[in-house]
């Protein structure tokens, strides 16, 4: 699995609460990524086992050919 960005918008209060309850059972001390996320994001990171799948919308990539996404928004859980 490869880190491509984070999502901080698009959640309703109810969706955020429901997702938090599901994620609590998946907490782990280890990052699931093959490559680390940027160091500024690692400081506050809380890792979970990659068992849930969600839909995320994005508008652009940060740089041409880059794998990191920008202007992301959560849509729903599949």
């Amino acid at each position: 699995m490869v880190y491509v960005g984070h999502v901080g918008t698009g959640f309703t209060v109810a969706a955020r609460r429901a997702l938090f309850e599901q994620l609590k059972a998946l907490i782990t001390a280890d990052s699931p990524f093959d490559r680390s996320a940027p160091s500024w994001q690692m400081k506050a990171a809380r890792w979970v086992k990659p068992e849930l799948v969600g839909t995320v919308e994005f508008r652009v990539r940060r740089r041409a050919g880059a794998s990191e996404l920008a202007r992301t928004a959560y849509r729903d859980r599949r």
Side-chain angles (χ1 to χ4, degrees):
M1 185 164 24
V2 178
Y3 177 87
V4 294
H6 68 281
V7 176
T9 190
F11 299 94
T12 64
V13 173
R16 185 185 322 242
R17 285 183 183 144
L19 187 57
F20 178 71
E21 290 302 317
Q22 293 170 332
L23 291 173
K24 283 194 309 188
L26 301 174
I27 292 173
T28 182
D30 301 318
S31 168
F33 299 113
D34 297 330
R35 292 181 303 170
S36 292
S39 61
W40 65 271
Q41 291 179 332
M42 296 289 286
K43 291 179 183 178
R46 302 297 177 262
W47 303 117
V48 296
K49 296 173 191 166
E51 296 181 11
L52 303 179
V53 177
T55 302
V56 174
E57 177 181 284
F58 71 96
R59 300 280 185 219
V60 296
R61 294 187 183 273
R62 293 218 180 266
R63 297 181 313 255
S67 61
E68 193 166 341
L69 307 177
R71 299 186 190 150
T72 57
Y74 175 82
R75 290 297 166 232
D76 60 19
R77 195 172 149 239
R78 293 190 273 163

